[in-house]
Amino acid sequence: MRPIRPGDRGPAVTEIRTVLSGLDLLSPSPGPGDEFDPQTERAVRAFQQSRGLSVDGRVGAETWRALDAARWRLGARTLYHAVPDPLTGEDVRSLQERLLEMGYDVGRADAIYGIRTARAVAQFQREVGLTPDGSCGPHTMNALRRLGRKVVGGRPQWLRESDAIRQSGPTLVGKTVVIDPGHGGTDPGVVVLDGPLRWTEADLVHDLASRLEGRLAASGVRVQLTRGPSPRTCLPDVDRAQLANSLGADVFISLHTDGHAKPAAEGVATYHYGTNNGVTSATGERLAGLVQREIVARTGLRDCRTHAKAWDLLRLTRMPAVRVEVGYLTSPADRARLVDPRFRDRVVEAIVAGVQRMYFPIERDVPTGSIDVSELRAVVAAGTVVD
């Protein structure tokens, strides 16, 4: 869909304003109710900030889905597992977060009432003496309100995710990694004209992804890219996440470069799934930190740190997932590095090192910058696996 921008008018704007008013982000305006005025733009930005979305003041497909989900409050409707179109909404997310606090395994709080959420609800119902039908109606809501947290002294989801990583073993051999070169097709991403040269984000990150594919494959990893070098269309983020899920990936890495109106903006940032109320993908957060530190140490890019976001790409993937913004293509300093193949090789080695460190037990982690990626290849070539 074309993003709805400030200055636009129409029924869609009226609907946006209605949802924002219901969230107490927008006061009734004496002007026309179908105008995307500055007050509406400020409210949209506040909504995007609160939901962990990109804050641009426009309503694109991702913000529209988040607004549609925000209509629902927990308890306003009966929730159940519907096939093939599951129920979605903020009420589902609130239920999932409540169940996670109580120690039930719903997976990621993705606002989708899937089979895993239904099973967790049924388990809760069974333990409190209700009919375990997996739906959340008035009786189940009353039981939830009466009970406090079931697990204290830790984060149960963190324990589950960490245990899954530990049980998979410390080496990369046999792991499946999906690499997502951002944009592509009709969406080139950031485009910069540098004299006679034309640099595009889509081309640079595909080259980066291809190099990463080679390094990981040499380390014994099964690798899948979400797109080729010249796709006809740009695959939506929802489809990229579904592809990773269908492949049963162990890790998902999305590669991008950033852009800004001010050429002075520079540096690398890494994103993982998380919301403003503290719900996060624990292993995704750890992977983001490891990848970020390795890239900064090995390339010298400015450290723009790690951040939690609720983008579809991170929210809908079921494995540790990160999005890496490898420098600003609009920065002359960063661009000079990004167009150098040797620099891209260093970025790739940093990402491989970060992924490898995620599989090391925390007590056996190594200092940042100390892993020699060529040694990982040598272990595979020798046909040995070090425990």
Side-chain angles (χ1 to χ4, degrees):
M1 61 175 289
R2 183 188 73 82
I4 302 171
R5 301 179 172 88
D8 287 350
R9 291 177 179 271
V13 176
T14 302
E15 194 168 354
I16 291 168
R17 290 173 57 86
T18 299
V19 175
L20 293 171
S21 296
L23 297 172
D24 295 327
L25 293 174
L26 184 65
S27 301
S29 172
D34 66 345
E35 180 183 357
F36 201 123
D37 57 12
Q39 184 185 23
T40 304
E41 181 184 3
R42 288 192 294 271
V44 168
R45 288 180 178 274
F47 175 80
Q48 291 170 326
Q49 182 71 39
S50 70
R51 295 307 193 275
L53 304 173
S54 298
V55 182
D56 58 9
R58 300 181 299 173
V59 180
E62 195 163 39
T63 299
W64 182 270
R65 284 192 293 269
L67 282 166
D68 187 57
R71 302 171 188 272
W72 299 102
R73 289 289 175 267
L74 186 58
R77 59 175 175 169
T78 296
L79 299 172
Y80 56 93
H81 177 46
V83 179
D85 298 317
L87 298 179
T88 62
E90 282 299 306
D91 53 347
V92 179
R93 188 198 305 277
S94 297
L95 174 63
Q96 291 170 327
E97 292 173 356
R98 182 82 170 93
L99 290 168
L100 283 170
E101 288 177 355
M102 299 174 69
Y104 295 96
D105 182 11
V106 301
R108 187 167 298 176
D110 57 8
I112 302 172
Y113 205 99
I115 186 63
R116 202 165 174 179
T117 299
R119 287 172 178 166
V121 170
Q123 182 184 353
F124 168 76
Q125 291 169 324
R126 190 176 298 110
E127 293 180 2
V128 298
L130 297 174
T131 302
D133 60 5
S135 64
C136 183
H139 296 299
T140 302
M141 279 303 307
N142 288 336
L144 284 168
R145 293 189 183 102
R146 290 196 304 268
L147 298 179
R149 292 184 61 178
K150 182 178 178 182
V151 176
V152 295
R155 295 158 62 186
Q157 191 63 16
W158 161 258
L159 297 176
R160 291 191 193 96
E161 293 182 5
S162 299
D163 186 59
I165 292 292
R166 181 183 293 272
Q167 289 187 18
S168 68
T171 72
L172 295 181
V173 177
K175 302 293 193 299
T176 299
V177 175
V178 171
I179 306 171
D180 172 47
H183 305 281
T186 54
D187 178 13
V190 180
V191 178
V192 174
L193 300 178
D194 186 6
L197 302 175
R198 182 178 184 270
W199 302 107
T200 70
E201 177 182 1
D203 290 343
L204 283 171
V205 296
H206 186 270
D207 177 85
L208 195 62
S210 298
R211 293 169 187 268
L212 180 57
E213 177 186 22
R215 295 295 194 285
L216 287 171
S219 301
V221 176
R222 294 188 292 266
V223 186
Q224 174 72 48
L225 268 62
T226 60
R227 70 170 176 88
S230 303
R232 292 184 178 181
T233 60
C234 180
L235 193 67
D237 284 352
V238 172
D239 293 344
R240 297 175 195 241
Q242 289 176 347
L243 174 61
N245 292 338
S246 68
L247 292 170
D250 297 293
V251 175
F252 180 87
I253 301 169
S254 185
L255 299 173
H256 290 255
T257 63
D258 217 331
H260 199 277
K262 296 182 179 179
E266 60 180 32
V268 56
T270 307
Y271 300 86
H272 61 90
Y273 173 72
T275 64
N276 64 327
N277 59 359
V279 174
T280 185
S281 166
T283 50
E285 183 177 7
R286 181 166 184 246
L287 176 60
L290 292 171
V291 168
Q292 178 73 12
R293 292 196 296 274
E294 288 286 348
I295 291 177
V296 170
R298 293 170 186 257
T299 67
L301 285 171
R302 181 186 295 275
D303 186 2
C304 296
R305 304 187 181 181
T306 63
H307 306 273
K309 289 290 183 182
W311 293 326
D312 288 342
L313 195 70
L314 303 176
R315 178 175 63 90
L316 298 176
T317 42
R318 301 193 193 111
M319 68 293 301
V322 295
R323 170 170 163 165
V324 190
E325 299 275 356
V326 190
Y328 281 74
L329 197 54
T330 50
S331 159
D334 281 1
R335 184 168 65 252
R337 294 173 170 178
L338 286 166
V339 301
D340 183 350
R342 293 169 298 180
F343 175 83
R344 297 199 293 276
D345 282 339
R346 291 201 299 275
V347 172
V348 162
E349 291 183 354
I351 295 174
V352 173
V355 174
Q356 174 63 85
R357 287 178 63 189
M358 183 184 71
Y359 284 101
F360 286 160
I362 294 178
E363 64 273 12
R364 288 177 51 193
D365 196 10
V366 297
T368 298
S370 65
I371 290 180
D372 185 346
V373 173
S374 64
E375 291 184 359
L376 302 179
R377 298 197 293 271
V379 168
V380 176
T384 59
V385 176
V386 180
D387 189 5

